[in-house]
Every structure is written in structure tokens, then in C-alpha cells.
Amino acid sequence: MSVPETQPTALVLTALPLEYAAVRAHVENREELVHRDGTRVEQGQLPGTSWQVALAELGMGAERAAALTAQLINWLRPQTVFFVGVAGSLKDDVGIGDVVVGTQVYEIHGGKQTPEGFLVRPKALPGSHALEQAARSAVRDMPDVRAHFLPIATGDVVLADAESEIVRFIRGNYNDAGAIEMEGSGAAHAAHLNGGVDTLVIRGISDRADAGKERADASGSQKLAAAQAALVTVAVLHKHRPREGSTDSEERPHRRREGGSTYSGDHIDFRGGTFYGPVTGKTDGRR
């Protein structure tokens, strides 16, 4: 069950076989890895990048997505996590075949039922700023992709009635959401709680969450939507550069590191170092 660590890993999660197939088409030199608990991923190279992509098909539902995302993060130690697939549109100007990049993800079922009615307790997690910026940059050069940067609602429900009570609830409490799907919040919470891994939900629109859903699906809209979401995900990985070294080395301007000491200007950091003999220097009066 050993996992190669020679390249940075991007974990790409899907729920459905056609979503998996859309991403898989972009990944070369794939090999299957099996976790000791049975979860399987295919890991391969994304051409033209230094990323290796670990691709998993998790099945439907936010709870399942959360549990398996946590397992895969702890196993594969990815730098980035994407949930990629299809969704229903919640806005008139977000059409079939469009792509919604989740600026944040809402978990829509949280709240408290009282005699006065249901009191919403919104739960939301933002998408990774760095990945969102890479997506905004990437889609500028993708004339065949119509992208929207909007919140995405997650609920364990398949919407096929635009006038239903749940749709009115979403529009009343999450009115800026551009799409609804079933797994994004679970994956986002798992990534947040397991090291704060950069995470982005990318969804292609396959229907309008109304009575026309079955007709849209039958026309091939799911395959189109999955392909568009996969294209944007790949474009993001072409733009987003993997981290090199630790967070400490990225955020603090160091000159060089020797024997546990850090040199920066005329200051010496003694933490973690072992020194023999005298050290010449000066103090600045601070403790």
C-alpha cells in the first residue's frame, strides 16, 4: 500500500462513473492503488505538468464523500483536492453545459426546527483562493467553456421540481448559489479538518433542477457537463504550481540553512541548532 512521493499529488474525486471517465481521459500512465480498507484510486501523470493525479470514484452523498475524502487525504497526502462532476443549475443564466466553480460550498440541511418554523444555521466553507484564482486565469483562454464563479449548494437530494419546497428554501436562504449537488460540502469539510488542504468544487451543469431533468440526462447532458468540468479542472492544474518545501520556507525570507540554523541578514536563529565553541555577534536589547 505504499504511495510514491516523488511528485506532488492532486486528488480528484468524483461520484459517478461518467464523471470519473471524463477526468480519466486526461491522465496518462495510470496504475491502480488499493487502500488497506479497500478504497481504490488510479494514479497517473497529467501531461505537461509536474502533477500526478490520484483519481477516485466515491459514489453519491456528502457523508460518504467526507469519510472517504478524509481517508484518501491521510493516505495519499495530496497538495490539492478537487470534487469534479455534474450538478443542477439554480439560476436562469447558468445553462446546461456551463461550469460552476465553487467560490464556497453550502451545506443546506443545517438548522433548528422550532414552533415558529425552521431556523437556518448556514454552514459554508470557501474554496481555495489559490485554486480559484488559477481557475479564473485558466478559463479566460477557454472560449468553449462558459464558467461562473458562484457558491454551490450541497444537499442529499436530487432536484427534479423547480417549484418544490426545497427549491424555495434554497432560494430563500442560499439565493446566491449557482448550482446544487450532493457531495461537495462533505469533501470540503474533510479537507478543512485534515490539514486544510487546498480544495475546489468544480461542477458542470447537466440540468436545471426541474421537471426536464430526465429529458436533459437522456439527451447526453451529463456527459457534456462532466467533460466540461474535467476540462476546467485540468486547466486549473496547468496553471496552479505545486508547493516546494515547507510552508515555513515559503513564507519567511531565508538566505540559507546550515546545521539547523537560519541566516537572514545579520540575525542568526539558534532554534533547533547545536553549536560548539564561541559565537560572535551582537544583541539588540530585545529578549
Side-chain angles (χ1 to χ4, degrees):
M1 197 184 67
S2 62
V3 180
E5 297 181 352
T6 56
Q7 290 181 279
T9 297
L11 178 60
V12 180
L13 307 172
T14 66
L16 303 175
L18 64 84
E19 299 167 340
Y20 186 98
V23 180
R24 189 177 191 252
H26 298 276
V27 181
E28 297 182 348
N29 302 320
R30 300 180 303 272
E31 63 173 338
E32 188 172 74
L33 304 177
V34 183
H35 188 271
R36 63 175 177 271
D37 292 330
T39 307
R40 293 174 181 261
V41 302
E42 278 190 299
Q43 187 167 266
Q45 179 70 35
L46 185 63
T49 76
S50 57
W51 290 104
Q52 61 181 3
V53 172
L55 179 59
E57 181 187 330
L58 304 185
M60 295 171 62
E63 289 186 3
R64 183 181 182 89
L68 292 176
T69 300
Q71 180 191 83
L72 291 170
I73 289 172
N74 288 322
W75 178 33
L76 300 171
R77 300 296 180 187
Q79 287 194 15
T80 62
V81 175
F82 296 85
F83 213 105
V84 181
V86 304
S89 171
L90 292 174
K91 290 190 175 294
D92 292 341
D93 61 343
V94 178
I96 292 175
D98 290 2
V99 175
V100 177
V101 178
T103 54
Q104 56 184 325
V105 183
Y106 294 135
E107 180 183 327
I108 66 170
H109 291 304
K112 180 181 181 181
Q113 187 67 51
T114 73
E116 291 74 32
F118 186 75
L119 303 181
V120 176
R121 294 179 175 175
K123 296 180 181 178
L125 278 174
S128 160
H129 172 68
L131 295 180
E132 181 192 324
Q133 285 289 295
R136 289 181 184 274
S137 175
V139 299
R140 293 183 191 121
D141 297 317
M142 302 177 73
D144 295 330
V145 174
R146 188 165 182 256
H148 308 265
F149 290 82
L150 294 167
I152 292 175
T154 297
D156 279 329
V157 58
V158 176
L159 285 183
D161 181 1
E163 303 304 320
S164 64
E165 182 178 347
I166 185 67
V167 171
R168 290 193 294 271
F169 170 81
I170 294 169
R171 288 176 176 163
N173 297 284
Y174 306 94
N175 59 78
D176 58 344
I180 183 166
E181 43 90 270
M182 298 179 68
E183 296 82 26
S185 70
H189 276 87
H192 174 69
L193 295 173
N194 286 270
V197 183
D198 283 341
T199 306
L200 198 63
V201 179
I202 299 177
R203 293 285 183 168
I205 298 300
S206 60
D207 61 80
R208 291 190 171 276
D210 60 11
K213 174 175 171 52
E214 289 188 7
R215 291 193 302 274
D217 291 348
S219 72
S221 65
Q222 283 194 329
K223 187 174 181 180
L224 168 64
Q228 294 292 82
L231 280 174
V232 172
T233 303
V234 168
V236 172
L237 286 172
H238 276 273
K239 285 282 184 178
H240 183 66
R241 296 182 63 182
R243 295 189 307 274
E244 296 181 2
S246 66
T247 301
D248 180 73
S249 65
E250 289 179 355
E251 295 180 353
R252 296 175 60 189
H254 298 156
R255 293 194 177 176
R256 69 179 185 275
R257 188 179 296 271
E258 295 179 6
S261 62
T262 301
Y263 296 79
S264 180
D266 58 358
H267 296 83
I268 301 176
D269 184 350
F270 290 94
R271 292 171 296 180
T274 302
F275 297 86
Y276 301 94
V279 175
T280 302
K282 66 179 181 179
T283 62
D284 61 6
R286 291 179 295 178
R287 295 179 178 223

